[in-house]
Amino acid sequence: MSGFADLKLCPELNATLEALGYREPTPIQTQAIPLVLAGHDLIAEAQTGTGKTASFALPMIERLSKQPGNPEYREIRGLVLVPTRELAIQVGDNTLEYGRLLGMRVISIFGGVRFDNQIRKMKRGADILVATPGRLLDMLKQKKLSLDQLEILVFDEADRMLDLGFINEIKALLAYMPVQKQTLLFSATLDESVEVLADKLLDNPKRVSVAQRNTSAATVQQRAYAVDNRDKADVLAYLITGARWQQTLVFTRTKRRADELAAALQHEGIHALAIHGDKHQRERIAVLNAFADGEVNVLVATDVAARGLDIDNLPQVVNYDLPNQPQDYVHRIGRTGRAGQKGLAVSLVAPEERRFLQAISELINKPLQLQPVPVAENGKLIDGKALQENSSGVRSKAKAKPGKTVKKAQQGKPQPQTPSRKETQEKAPARSAGRRSLFSK
Ligand code: AMP
C-alpha cells in the first residue's frame, strides 16, 4: 500500500494515485490534505513543484464526491482561481485526472480564447471550475454561469495574482459567491499583501508551509558569465550550439527581448520560440507542446509566462537577463536539477547587472563568481577550469557551427515564424493600486 494510506483518501483516489505512480505524499500534501478534509480554511506557503495542486485538488474532490452532482447539469461546487492561462490548463488537467474515477466534471476557463467556445463547454455545468479572474468575471456578469452553490474556493499562486493586479477582479468575484464556504489560499511567498488578502478571505485558517525559499537543488551547477549586453545573443547561440544543449529554457526581462532573442537564435539555425503574455492563447499552447515534445529546443520566456509551466525537469536554464528580484532567480533555476537529476543554470551578466548578481549571491548564501565565457577548441566547448582567460570576458560574435543534435531536430521542419498576433483578452489589468492598499477603506 502506498504512503498515501495514512491520509485516508477514498479507494478511487488511492487507485488513481497508484496509477499515476505517486508513491509517497509530498510534505505539502501530508500537511494540507488532512486539514482540508477536516473542513478548515487554510493558508499554505508552497511553490510550484512541491505537489501543491494535488494538496488542494485531492481533498476537494474527496469532499465534493460525497454528494454526487446532478448528471444533467452540474452546479459549480469547487472553484480554483489561478493567475495565468497556462496554470489554468495545468491545474485543470491535473484535477480532471485526479477526479476521473469519481466522475468529477472539471472545466478550465481563461481569456485569450473565444468566449462562445467556453460558454459551450459550460453547457452541462461543472463540479470544479478552474479559472482566471477576468474571464470568470465576464461570464458571471453575462449570467453564463453561477457560483451560488460554491462550497470550496481555492486561490492558487495568490502572490502572483496580486502582482498581476487582479485584486479588483477578486473583490468583484467574491460578490457572486456564498459567504459560507471553505477557502484555501496557496502562495509561493507570504508577504504583507498576501497576509492582508488572507485576513479578509479566510476564517480562522490553519497554516502550513513547505517553502524552501532561498535554496536551489544541490544538483544544479550555477555559472555566471560576464557578457556585454550587445553580445548576449551571439554568446547564447554559441553556448547552445557549441555545447549541444537540448531542451533549454531561457529567461528574458521583457516580452520584446524574448521575441528578439528567439528571432536571433532562429537566424543562427537554432529552433527557438518565444512565449509571453502578448501571444495568442493557441500559439502559447502550440509552443509549449512543441517544446515538451522536443520539436523546439529553446523556449524563450518572461517570468510571468514561465510561471506554472509544468515541465518536469530541464537540463539547462539560462538567465539571459538577470532578474532584479533575487527571489525570481531561485524560481527560475528551480526548473532544472529536479528529483536528483543534474542541471545547469547559466546566467549572462552584463556589467550593469552585477549588482543583481551580488543580491542573488547574498540571498542564496553562495558566491556566484563571474567567469569569462568558455572558449571553443576543435568546435567543442571547453568548460570549467580549463577556460582560457578572455580579457574582455566576452566572446563577441562567437559562432560555432550548429551541433548535430540541433541540426537533427530541424531536419524536415519549416523554420518557425515569429508569431505576431496580439492577444486582446485577459491581459493582466494595470497595476494601478499598490499591493499595500488592498481593501483599503
Ligand atoms: P505541482 O507543485 O502541483 O505543480 O506539482 C509538481 C509535479 O509533481 C506535477 O507534475 C505532479 O504531477 C507531481 N506530483 C505531485 N504530487 C506527487 C507525488 N506525491 N508523487 C509524485 N509526483 C507528484
Side-chain angles (χ1 to χ4, degrees):
M1 190 61 205
S2 78
F4 278 98
D6 290 346
L7 295 178
K8 304 205 163 32
L9 293 164
C10 64
E12 290 87 347
L13 285 178
N14 279 324
T16 302
L17 295 173
E18 205 161 322
L20 287 171
Y22 292 13
R23 298 224 173 90
E24 297 290 332
T26 65
I28 187 70
Q29 292 163 4
T30 306
Q31 293 180 45
I33 290 174
L35 295 170
V36 181
L37 286 176
H40 293 289
D41 279 8
L42 183 75
I43 176 164
E45 186 178 19
Q47 295 174 359
T48 294
T50 54
K52 68 180 166 62
T53 311
S55 76
F56 60 74
L58 294 172
M60 173 164 68
I61 291 166
E62 166 105 23
R63 276 172 73 79
L64 298 180
S65 69
K66 301 286 181 229
Q67 282 175 313
N70 173 355
E72 296 303 315
Y73 183 84
R74 303 284 178 92
E75 300 283 357
I76 297 165
R77 291 178 297 143
L79 171 65
V80 185
L81 288 176
V82 294
T84 64
R85 293 160 281 200
E86 279 75 23
L87 199 61
I89 294 169
Q90 259 166 44
V91 170
D93 287 352
N94 288 350
T95 307
L96 184 67
E97 197 69 56
Y98 299 143
R100 201 182 294 282
L101 285 182
L102 288 164
M104 281 285 139
R105 192 174 296 156
V106 181
I107 289 179
S108 307
I109 60 169
F110 39 85
V113 295
R114 284 171 58 114
F115 204 76
D116 43 355
N117 285 350
Q118 301 210 317
I119 290 170
R120 206 167 310 122
K121 279 207 292 189
M122 287 301 302
K123 267 262 156 24
R124 290 188 303 145
D127 300 292
I128 297 173
L129 184 66
V130 182
T132 51
R135 177 53 64 96
L136 177 60
L137 193 59
D138 287 347
M139 291 182 88
L140 286 164
K141 280 181 182 159
Q142 296 192 23
K143 298 196 170 27
K144 302 297 180 193
L145 50 84
S146 154
L147 297 176
D148 289 352
Q149 302 303 316
L150 191 68
E151 292 172 32
I152 305 177
L153 168 64
V154 183
F155 289 87
D156 193 9
E157 299 197 356
D159 49 352
R160 190 53 57 145
M161 256 188 272
L162 295 180
D163 280 343
L164 291 174
F166 280 128
I167 189 62
N168 289 331
E169 279 81 355
I170 292 172
K171 282 199 259 183
L173 285 171
L174 292 174
Y176 289 89
M177 302 174 193
V179 175
Q180 196 63 36
K181 60 188 173 301
Q182 184 180 13
T183 305
L184 319 174
L185 185 144
F186 283 72
S187 189
T189 53
L190 295 183
D191 64 12
E192 192 191 332
S193 58
V194 177
E195 293 283 359
V196 171
L197 181 70
D199 203 45
K200 297 285 171 188
L201 296 173
L202 307 179
D203 181 19
N204 203 10
K206 300 285 181 192
R207 281 180 176 264
V208 299
S209 171
V210 294
Q212 295 178 313
R213 292 170 49 183
N214 302 335
T215 55
S216 51
T219 49
V220 179
Q221 261 196 60
Q222 300 176 56
R223 307 227 182 104
Y225 295 140
V227 184
D228 273 345
N229 198 22
R230 64 169 186 278
D231 294 318
K232 282 187 173 183
D234 281 339
V235 167
L236 182 59
Y238 161 81
L239 290 171
I240 291 169
T241 53
R244 299 187 180 166
W245 284 350
Q246 291 282 334
Q247 300 321 94
T248 303
L249 180 60
V250 181
F251 287 94
T252 59
R253 200 171 34 238
T254 63
K255 300 171 195 173
R256 188 166 159 198
R257 276 172 75 79
D259 279 335
E260 286 172 356
L261 176 61
L265 294 176
Q266 285 169 23
H267 189 69
E268 295 295 314
I270 295 166
H271 212 177
L273 288 177
I275 181 169
H276 56 64
D278 280 354
K279 302 274 183 197
H280 192 282
Q281 177 64 14
R282 259 170 304 173
E283 279 170 1
R284 302 216 286 177
I285 295 170
V287 169
L288 281 180
N289 286 340
F291 185 65
D293 294 345
E295 289 164 22
V296 166
N297 297 111
V298 179
L299 187 63
V300 187
T302 54
D303 285 291
V304 171
R307 186 143 176 126
L309 286 186
D310 194 14
I311 303 167
D312 267 353
N313 189 32
L314 284 164
Q316 290 88 217
V317 168
V318 174
N319 293 303
Y320 187 76
D321 299 313
L322 274 189
N324 48 16
Q325 297 291 334
Q327 191 61 51
D328 283 344
Y329 177 87
V330 180
H331 283 299
R332 289 177 176 186
I333 74 166
R335 304 276 174 184
T336 183
R338 285 193 182 173
Q341 302 273 321
K342 278 192 187 156
L344 175 64
V346 168
S347 301
L348 305 185
V349 186
E352 58 273 24
E353 293 175 300
R354 290 187 186 177
R355 61 201 165 97
F356 299 143
L357 192 69
Q358 178 66 28
I360 292 164
S361 295
E362 279 167 22
L363 179 81
I364 63 175
N365 211 7
K366 181 174 172 175
L368 289 173
Q369 301 288 0
L370 262 189
Q371 336 173 4
V373 176
V375 292
E377 220 176 52
N378 306 329
K380 224 178 152 226
L381 276 179
I382 311 174
D383 210 351
K385 299 202 171 58
L387 294 176
Q388 279 176 21
E389 193 59 45
N390 175 338
S391 58
S392 71
V394 175
R395 292 282 314 181
S396 79
K397 300 291 165 198
K399 280 173 196 164
K401 294 267 181 289
K404 270 188 206 138
T405 44
V406 177
K407 267 189 186 158
K408 186 166 166 257
Q410 289 168 358
Q411 270 168 15
K413 291 209 164 62
Q415 276 297 300
Q417 302 291 312
T418 305
S420 60
R421 217 167 349 169
K422 282 265 174 196
E423 189 209 295
T424 50
Q425 295 166 76
E426 190 65 63
K427 283 231 181 108
R431 207 204 288 204
S432 50
R435 286 175 59 171
R436 258 157 214 251
S437 59
L438 307 176
F439 292 105
S440 53
K441 292 179 188 117

